[in-house]
């Protein structure tokens, strides 16, 4: 469907990564099963094309979730947008089964996402950045009220305005750098790793270092050790080595759809327990096989007397000094407050995670209608809709930035199909029609 100037869409999606792609699928499957008016939707993405963590599509790196936790299966097991449907369409279903692995490579899962996205070219516009969302004076009230969304073409600079009764914000995460650290051609964040690495002459990379103790840090360390057999590779760890990710069955229940209810409707004690006991399922942890492989390499180098893989435990980067292509890293040891050392590197990678999505700046003046809790965070209803003042009846749905209300799965793939289905149901129910987004297609 086109983005006609005066049409009022049921929903406009801001960003078109996996979350809003899953929402587009849920809306389409609702439309295929409903007898009422079709749900109209348009999505705008500032990137030039679809992409999901492209700079971390490292060889052999696998997903940390089962292939069944795809864009649709948990909501609709017979969806034509499932990972199994993708394998069948690609003539690889039998081979995948014979591979006997629940966890596809990240590259293959990205191919699946691109395959699903290719069906929505009529609903998504790329090179399009939403710059403003406002409630016009003549927007009306109740279910007829609408928002005006300004969209700038990042190539031409042209701006147009579309209207919608609801918006779904899914602008993704923002790379996080330690305070005082700036990125450049020699200092990178993991989110840009492959692109920055690809611009380098590998022969010039004699000494490289990776900062961080999570999955991305460990994978990049392993990759550099593989690709640069001539180089010294240092892992700078704020912890005493890597911590293993707990992916055992009982712990994994924290990512189940029902866990969202337990978190959302639970007490402060309940929510605190979720974080205290289950943070090691996702944050600053590494898969067991990657940890063991890195340790094995380190030990074999010890035996051979040819050490080039180094682990600097309980160490933080205090300062980065740049002069031309020379990069000097000042390190502070947490074992001894007085201890400080310097090392020269040809490339420094910060795998230091991301900031959670905050819709405040995007909402602009519209944010004055949004209610906040005592900590200053957006109040969010169970259907991921921001709690607003009565004057605003349009819906603002958040696909991310709701960890404080919905728990660990607020922006993760683990619950993406159910989350998107709940948002689709909410949109339809609030316009006075029965919700059937979870029905079989």
């Amino acid at each position: 469907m086109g983005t006609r100037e005066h049409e009022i869409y049921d929903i406009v999606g801001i960003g078109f990564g996996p979350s809003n792609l899953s929402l587009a699928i849920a809306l389409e499957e609702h439309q295929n099963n409903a007898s009422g008016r079709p749900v109209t939707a348009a999505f705008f993405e500032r990137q030039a094309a679809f992409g999901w963590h492209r700079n971390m599509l490292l060889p052999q790196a696998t997903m940390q979730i089962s292939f069944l936790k795809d864009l649709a299966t948990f909501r609709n097991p017979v969806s034509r947008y499932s990972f199994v449907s993708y394998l069948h369409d690609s003539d690889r279903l039998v081979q995948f089964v014979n591979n006997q692995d629940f966890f596809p490579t990240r590259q293959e899962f990205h191919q699946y996402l691109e395959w699903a996205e290719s069906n929505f070219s009529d609903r998504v516009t790329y090179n399009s950045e939403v710059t403003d969302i406002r409630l016009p004076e003549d927007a009306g009230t109740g279910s007829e009220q609408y928002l005006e969304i300004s969209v700038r073409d990042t190539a031409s600079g042209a701006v147009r305005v579309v209207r919608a009764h609801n918006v779904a914000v899914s602008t993704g995460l923002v790379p996080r750098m330690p305070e005082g650290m700036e990125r450049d051609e020699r200092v990178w964040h993991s989110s840009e790793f492959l692109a920055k690495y690809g611009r380098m002459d590998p022969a010039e990379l004699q000494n490289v270092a990776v900062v961080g103790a999570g999955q991305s840090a460990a994978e990049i360390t392993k990759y550099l050790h593989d690709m640069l057999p001539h180089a010294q590779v240092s892992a700078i760890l704020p912890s005493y080595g890597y911590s293993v990710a707990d992916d055992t069955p009982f712990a994994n229940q924290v990512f189940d759809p029902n866990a969202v209810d337990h978190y959302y409707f639970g007490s402060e004690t309940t929510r605190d327990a979720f974080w205290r006991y289950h943070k090691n399922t996702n944050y600053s942890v590494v898969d067991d096989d990657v940890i063991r492989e890195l340790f094995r390499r380190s030990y074999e180098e010890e035996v051979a007397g040819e050490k080039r893989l180094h682990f600097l435990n309980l160490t933080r980067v205090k300062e980065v000094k740049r002069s031309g292509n020379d990069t000097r890293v000042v390190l502070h040891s947490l074992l001894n407050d007085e201890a400080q050392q310097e090392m020269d590197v040809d490339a420094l990678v910060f795998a230091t995670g991301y900031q959670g999505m905050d819709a405040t700046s995007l909402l602009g003046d519209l944010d004055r209608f949004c209610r906040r809790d005592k900590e200053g965070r957006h109040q969010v209803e169970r259907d991921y809709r921001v709690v607003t003042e009565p004057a605003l009846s349009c819906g603002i749905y958040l696909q991310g930035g709701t960890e404080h209300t919905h728990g660990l799965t607020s922006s993760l793939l683990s619950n993406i199909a159910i989350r998107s289905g709940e948002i689709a149901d909410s949109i339809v129910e609030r316009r006075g029609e029965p919700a059937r987004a979870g029905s079989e297609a």
Side-chain angles (χ1 to χ4, degrees):
M1 70 186 64
T3 51
R4 294 181 294 276
E5 186 74 17
H6 299 296
E7 179 175 357
I8 301 179
Y9 294 99
D10 288 309
I11 186 162
V12 159
I14 303 171
F16 202 64
S19 291
N20 269 349
L21 171 56
S22 180
L23 175 59
I25 291 170
L27 291 170
E28 179 180 289
E29 293 185 347
H30 175 274
Q31 179 174 318
N32 290 342
N33 286 275
S35 58
R37 178 173 64 84
V39 178
T40 56
F43 297 87
F44 298 97
E45 169 57 54
R46 62 189 171 193
Q47 292 189 92
F50 181 85
W52 175 72
H53 295 303
R54 285 187 179 275
N55 285 308
M56 282 301 295
L57 298 180
L58 305 177
Q60 285 81 54
T62 60
M63 297 294 293
Q64 293 178 282
I65 59 170
S66 164
F67 69 91
L68 293 172
K69 292 185 175 183
D70 58 27
L71 297 169
T73 295
F74 273 29
R75 175 184 53 80
N76 177 12
V78 296
S79 171
R80 73 183 186 96
Y81 294 106
S82 70
F83 185 78
V84 170
S85 293
Y86 157 73
L87 290 173
H88 183 269
D89 191 59
S90 304
D91 198 27
R92 279 207 310 271
L93 180 57
V94 173
Q95 296 94 316
F96 183 86
V97 172
N98 287 339
N99 198 39
Q100 298 182 9
D101 198 336
F102 261 70
F103 306 97
T105 64
R106 205 171 292 155
Q107 289 181 333
E108 183 174 30
F109 200 82
H110 193 275
Q111 291 172 6
Y112 155 66
L113 294 175
E114 290 180 313
W115 169 84
E117 181 274 341
S118 67
N119 293 273
F120 293 90
S121 58
D122 60 332
R123 276 153 281 187
V124 59
T125 307
Y126 291 99
N127 286 322
S128 298
E129 181 181 13
V130 172
T131 59
D132 182 54
I133 309 171
R134 60 187 175 275
L135 181 67
E137 293 183 1
D138 60 348
T141 59
S143 61
E144 299 302 314
Q145 189 181 77
Y146 64 89
L147 300 169
E148 289 186 340
I149 301 101
S150 297
V151 184
R152 182 178 70 88
D153 186 306
T154 59
S156 68
V159 176
R160 61 175 170 142
V161 175
V162 296
R163 297 173 175 179
H165 297 300
N166 304 279
V167 292
V169 183
S170 182
T171 52
L173 303 173
V174 179
R176 179 173 58 217
M177 293 285 286
E179 186 176 355
M181 307 298 165
E182 299 292 336
R183 291 182 278 172
D184 57 35
E185 287 305 306
R186 298 278 176 164
V187 180
W188 316 332
H189 186 269
S190 57
S191 62
E192 57 189 351
F193 174 69
L194 284 178
K196 288 290 183 70
Y197 177 81
R199 298 174 193 164
M200 305 297 297
D201 178 357
E204 294 183 1
L205 300 177
Q206 300 291 325
N207 291 278
V208 294
V210 182
V211 182
Q215 182 75 17
S216 294
E219 288 179 351
I220 291 173
T221 300
K222 179 174 174 288
Y223 179 84
L224 292 173
H225 192 256
D226 285 336
M227 302 299 291
L228 304 173
H230 57 281
Q232 298 294 308
V233 180
S234 299
I236 302 170
L237 306 170
S239 55
Y240 201 78
Y242 299 108
S243 297
V244 68
D246 187 351
D247 63 350
T248 53
F250 285 110
N252 259 347
Q253 290 180 128
V254 74
F255 300 114
D256 290 353
N258 288 340
V260 177
D261 281 336
H262 296 151
Y263 190 93
Y264 187 88
F265 296 110
S267 64
E268 287 300 318
T269 302
T270 303
R271 296 182 181 189
D272 182 63
F274 264 91
W275 289 105
R276 185 185 309 121
Y277 292 111
H278 299 294
K279 193 173 183 179
N280 68 332
T281 57
N282 188 62
Y283 296 94
S284 299
V285 288
V286 182
D287 287 345
D288 178 82
D289 60 331
V290 178
I291 293 175
R292 292 183 182 277
E293 174 61 19
L294 286 173
F295 191 88
R296 182 191 65 78
R297 296 183 185 195
S298 178
Y299 182 74
E300 288 181 353
E301 290 182 355
E302 291 274 5
V303 173
E306 299 176 355
K307 191 72 174 169
R308 67 181 191 89
L309 180 57
H310 311 276
F311 297 97
L312 308 179
N313 297 334
L314 293 176
T315 302
R316 295 186 182 276
V317 175
K318 183 177 180 180
E319 184 181 359
V320 178
K321 302 176 181 178
R322 289 300 316 277
S323 177
N325 287 335
D326 297 328
T327 305
R328 176 159 293 183
V329 184
V330 181
L331 302 174
H332 171 69
S333 173
L334 301 179
L335 290 169
N336 182 348
D337 285 340
E338 303 300 321
Q340 184 170 294
Q341 69 178 100
E342 297 186 357
M343 62 185 297
D344 293 323
V345 297
D346 299 304
L348 178 64
V349 186
F350 283 94
T352 45
Y354 297 83
Q355 302 281 0
M357 187 188 82
D358 184 359
T360 302
S361 60
L362 178 63
L363 294 176
D365 184 62
L366 198 66
D367 193 63
R368 63 191 171 92
F369 295 103
C370 302
R371 294 181 178 176
R372 294 180 178 266
D373 62 19
K374 61 183 179 181
E375 302 295 330
R377 302 166 300 193
H378 283 124
Q379 294 182 26
V380 186
E381 298 183 48
R382 178 59 185 83
D383 59 3
Y384 300 93
R385 178 177 163 130
V386 175
V387 179
T388 58
E389 299 295 337
L392 180 65
S393 54
C394 294
I396 302 170
Y397 293 89
L398 301 181
Q399 295 243 49
T402 59
E403 286 185 335
H404 61 291
T405 53
H406 290 69
L408 279 75
T409 65
S410 68
S411 61
L412 301 181
L413 288 175
S414 289
N415 198 40
I416 191 171
I418 298 297
R419 180 173 68 247
S420 297
E422 289 173 343
I423 294 174
D425 284 348
S426 175
I427 292 167
V428 175
E429 287 173 354
R430 288 175 183 270
R431 72 177 193 180
E433 297 178 21
R436 297 179 60 185
S439 303
E440 294 186 354

